[in-house]
Amino acid sequence: MIIGIDLGTTNSLVAVWKDGKSQLVPNGLGEMLTPSCVSLDEDGSVLVGKAAKERLQTHPERTASVFKRYMGSDKKVRLGERDFRAEELSAFVLKSLKADAEAFLGEPVTEAVITVPAYFSDAQRKATRTAGVLAGLKVERLLNEPSAAALAYGMHQLDSESRFLVFDLGGGTFDVSILELFEGVMEVRASAGDNYLGGEDVTSAIVDLFFQRNKLDSSLRNNPMFMQRLGASAEAAKRALSGGQQASVQIQLDGNDLLLEIDEEVLDKLCAPLLKRMREPVERALRDTNIRAHELDSIVLAGGATRMPVVRRLVTMMFGRFPTAEINPDEVVAMGAAVQAGLKMKDAALEEVVMTDVAPYSLGVAVSVRLADGKSSDGHFSPVIERNTAVPVSRVGHYHAVDPRQSYVLLRIYQGESRLVKDNILLGQLEVPLPQDGEKAVDVRFTYDVNGLLEVRANVDKSTESHVLIIEGNPGMLSDAEIKQRFIELEKIKMHPRDTLEMRTLLARADRIYQQVRGDLRNWLGMQITEFEAVLETQNPRLINPARSKFSDMLNSIESDSHLHSDFDPQPN
Ligand code: AMP
């Protein structure tokens, strides 16, 4: 069985293709959304999901979130005494989702389709595949998130003919894809996006405004506990504004109440520069397909941040119509990943469905150009594969040595759209020896597969020798040997047992609330936690089950009385 995974910046989901349809898989808490958070528990085991999210505030030095933003880089995140790369943290999330799928299906799972932002680079894609390997999963396919959303959406109308645009704004990334659906063939015509734009930027903008309005010193940003609490309160206010008109961010600092009131107007202003950045990819995708906004049949929303009214208004304004909200935007990508898994398994219900995708950015090499006065100018970009070419694709570029005395050429491979390579992204380089005599030229073959992974081969003219680009030494990527080593290391770290996760999550939540309240309520809550722990130690389900419900209701009631998920001062009576 191949499973479909949406590995998101803020939340991750797993779904399976079963009984002729996509089905979401619940996690150990019975929920579909698993927060992409990882925490190292005091007993050395790894907590993933809601329990880890609760610990972001109580144990920030042992907990990590939004690490998808570091995929493809060598940035490390310290949890306790150990450093982890983004691939490793993602691997913990994948392991947890794999265990959920195994519990749901009642069989071992070893293969997965994992979604990535369409605009993810080669290094980011390879890091995602590595995360899968580290989690013990063979990654059957990396699928672009908007293409996954389109697959889920298209399943509802396979017999119709339509053109639609997927507007996918997640926690950390923004993608746009334009697709055409015709007789069961779903063709991505163009993708564009921004890898560093998402709902988390809105939360950060609220945090910045909080600092500004309360005249806080920027050194407070180095206080992880304060920043996590502020972040959580800003996130709650942002979500509240998706349903209401007013919200506040409230935090206690050294006995003082700090406050920021936000209404729709303030939020709109904060979002204005972010919304501006969303226009460019939309316009580029339309331009590349030669389709006008009014010629689209529908606009499909994906990603949690499209719940924001200000984003929906932008979409409505840009396209002159309301977006469709047929499928839950949080779930649509995972549902599509499961369709792709079904396609991979050649499920009979999907016989008529075909999906084609594109390379979202141009790929090429750095060249020197000769000017009219005979001088040469370095650092120009020569595209070999143009953006939005259907994949898989293989193209050859033919290049000459600048100087006939040259004994080798250094091929530098870039991705991007700029005229000068300094403004594009360097993917790697390849040194190709040239023959002593004969033509000093090389053929460079770029092969871009359906996963969005690139292979570059160079052939010196009239020789059969071929040089394959191996982007080793790129700090953002692990070699095969390093992956093997890290797999062994990660195997030694135990995941928290799934069957006790619910209790662990409840206790993590209680700890967070305990740290937030003060006075009598705090003392009282401390006693309740100790008593609940004593019941858990009995290991007697007849005692534990009613105590758990009571404990959970009690936490709900404290949080709803406190009107905010941040600091508050109970009124002693
Ligand atoms: P995703 O990566 O698709 O899970 O998107 C998560 C992003 O959506 C995060 O930045 C969330 O803060 C944001 N989000 C989820 N629900 C809402 C909501 N109701 N209102 C505003 N933003 C939301």
Side-chain angles (χ1 to χ4, degrees):
M1 172 63 95
I2 307 175
I3 56 175
I5 293 177
D6 169 7
L7 186 60
T9 310
T10 37
N11 292 300
S12 296
L13 297 93
V14 54
V16 292
W17 183 260
K18 199 163 172 263
D19 306 327
K21 59 176 195 286
S22 288
Q23 298 186 31
L24 289 169
V25 173
N27 61 23
L29 308 177
E31 294 168 359
M32 304 305 175
L33 263 62
T34 296
S36 306
C37 294
V38 173
S39 187
L40 208 52
D41 208 348
E42 278 64 28
D43 66 4
S45 70
V46 166
L47 287 163
V48 170
K50 212 170 182 175
K53 191 175 174 187
E54 297 287 4
R55 283 166 59 88
L56 268 177
Q57 291 181 59
T58 55
H59 299 79
E61 72 296 341
R62 300 181 73 84
T63 311
S65 64
V66 294
F67 36 83
K68 182 169 171 180
R69 288 202 154 174
Y70 314 133
M71 289 294 258
S73 80
D74 65 344
K75 185 177 160 78
K76 316 259 186 333
V77 182
R78 177 153 280 244
L79 303 190
E81 293 76 46
R82 252 191 91 155
D83 287 335
F84 292 93
R85 290 171 64 100
E87 293 96 319
E88 296 175 290
L89 297 168
S90 299
F92 288 130
V93 176
L94 292 173
K95 277 187 178 196
S96 170
L97 299 174
K98 176 175 179 278
D100 293 335
E102 286 171 343
F104 182 78
L105 295 166
E107 59 180 81
V109 168
T110 51
E111 292 159 311
V113 169
I114 303 181
T115 60
V116 288
Y119 224 57
F120 246 21
S121 70
D122 194 62
Q124 289 169 309
R125 282 167 195 269
K126 285 185 176 137
T128 307
R129 195 178 52 179
T130 300
V133 174
L134 293 177
L137 286 169
K138 177 162 181 272
V139 181
E140 275 293 332
R141 172 83 188 257
L142 293 172
L143 176 66
N144 291 335
E145 286 164 11
S147 305
L151 263 180
Y153 172 77
M155 291 309 291
H156 293 284
Q157 43 174 328
L158 277 181
D159 39 7
S160 66
E161 192 179 316
S162 69
R163 288 167 164 186
F164 57 99
L165 179 143
V166 179
F167 189 99
D168 180 0
L169 187 66
T173 53
F174 175 54
D175 279 323
V176 180
S177 286
I178 295 178
L179 294 101
E180 269 186 272
L181 179 62
F182 178 69
E183 290 180 351
V185 178
M186 195 130 24
E187 188 185 340
V188 179
R189 295 281 316 279
S191 286
D194 186 331
N195 280 338
Y196 298 95
L197 177 61
E200 297 310 302
D201 295 303
V202 179
T203 311
S204 300
I206 297 175
V207 166
D208 291 347
L209 188 66
F210 187 89
F211 263 76
Q212 210 182 330
R213 289 282 166 85
N214 288 288
K215 300 194 172 50
L216 297 182
D217 193 89
S218 61
S219 61
L220 255 182
R221 288 186 185 267
N222 301 328
N223 178 338
M225 197 96 92
F226 175 78
M227 288 308 287
Q228 287 298 348
R229 268 166 37 199
L230 177 55
S233 184
E235 166 80 19
K238 177 183 80 172
R239 285 179 187 244
L241 284 168
S242 293
Q245 284 165 358
Q246 273 263 322
S248 55
V249 184
Q250 228 176 326
I251 297 275
Q252 274 267 333
L253 180 69
D254 303 331
N256 296 318
D257 272 322
L258 305 177
L259 180 71
L260 171 70
E261 302 269 10
I262 318 181
D263 58 15
E264 271 183 310
E265 202 181 322
V266 174
L267 187 71
D268 283 6
K269 256 200 202 128
L270 282 181
C271 290
L274 301 172
L275 296 184
K276 214 166 142 201
R277 284 170 60 194
M278 284 171 212
R279 281 183 174 275
E280 215 269 317
V282 171
E283 282 163 8
R284 176 190 283 185
L286 287 169
R287 243 190 346 260
D288 282 1
T289 49
N290 255 330
I291 293 176
R292 288 168 202 274
H294 70 265
E295 290 169 341
L296 292 165
D297 295 296
S298 46
I299 316 297
V300 179
L301 297 181
T306 57
R307 289 182 188 280
M308 293 176 62
V310 55
V311 172
R312 294 200 171 192
R313 277 201 301 278
L314 174 85
V315 172
T316 308
M317 224 165 62
M318 271 197 292
F319 300 103
R321 91 200 58 179
F322 291 107
T324 65
E326 261 169 54
I327 315 180
N328 183 335
D330 296 317
E331 298 172 353
V332 66
V333 170
M335 301 284 273
V339 177
Q340 181 68 55
L343 283 169
K344 275 264 159 205
M345 294 184 291
K346 303 207 179 341
D347 189 274
L350 292 169
E351 233 166 38
E352 306 289 304
V353 184
V354 176
M355 170 100 190
T356 69
D357 217 320
V358 293
Y361 25 62
S362 303
L363 299 154
V365 296
V367 292
S368 296
V369 293
R370 203 169 288 284
L371 306 175
D373 62 4
K375 293 198 182 114
S376 68
S377 161
D378 287 342
H380 291 258
F381 183 52
S382 165
V384 176
I385 295 177
E386 299 269 11
R387 70 165 183 268
N388 292 323
T389 305
V391 295
V393 57
S394 192
R395 295 269 154 85
V396 181
H398 190 66
Y399 299 97
H400 286 270
V402 177
D403 183 336
R405 288 162 300 179
Q406 248 171 271
S407 58
Y408 70 93
V409 281
L410 184 65
L411 284 171
R412 284 179 296 141
I413 316 297
Y414 286 86
Q415 121 193 350
E417 310 307 325
S418 298
R419 188 174 65 88
L420 299 177
V421 291
K422 71 175 174 50
D423 301 321
N424 291 328
I425 297 174
L426 178 68
L427 297 179
Q429 53 189 32
L430 180 61
E431 202 179 288
V432 188
L434 294 173
Q436 286 258 308
D437 33 49
E439 202 189 347
K440 301 270 183 172
V442 299
D443 281 337
V444 185
R445 179 173 287 282
F446 277 51
T447 305
Y448 194 84
D449 71 8
V450 288
N451 298 303
L453 298 173
L454 178 70
E455 186 194 82
V456 178
R457 277 175 187 275
N459 268 308
V460 176
D461 262 10
K462 299 183 196 79
S463 93
T464 50
E465 205 181 342
S466 117
H467 298 266
V468 184
L469 175 66
I470 303 165
I471 315 184
E472 267 175 3
N474 178 334
M477 248 176 257
L478 293 173
S479 66
D480 284 349
E482 285 170 321
I483 295 172
K484 273 202 190 102
Q485 181 58 34
R486 281 175 197 249
F487 178 81
I488 295 167
E489 293 292 319
L490 287 199
E491 281 289 283
K492 291 184 199 149
I493 304 178
K494 290 277 156 286
M495 300 290 287
H496 191 92
R498 197 171 177 273
D499 53 349
T500 56
L501 197 57
E502 190 182 346
M503 297 305 173
R504 188 66 197 85
T505 308
L506 209 52
L507 283 172
R509 182 178 171 209
D511 270 345
R512 170 181 52 82
I513 299 174
Y514 177 85
Q515 291 200 4
Q516 289 176 346
V517 296
R518 295 192 302 165
D520 291 347
L521 181 54
R522 183 180 178 126
N523 291 336
W524 180 78
L525 178 57
M527 272 313 293
Q528 301 299 311
I529 296 174
T530 311
E531 277 178 23
F532 183 58
E533 282 174 335
V535 176
L536 289 182
E537 269 173 29
T538 65
Q539 297 190 355
N540 178 349
R542 287 227 307 272
L543 295 176
I544 291 175
N545 288 338
R548 178 193 51 202
S549 305
K550 218 174 115 202
F551 192 67
S552 168
D553 290 347
M554 186 261 303
L555 296 180
N556 288 344
S557 109
I558 297 181
E559 284 213 305
S560 64
D561 282 352
S562 71
H563 70 87
L564 265 182
H565 296 259
S566 63
D567 235 342
F568 65 95
D569 218 353
Q571 298 295 314
N573 41 26

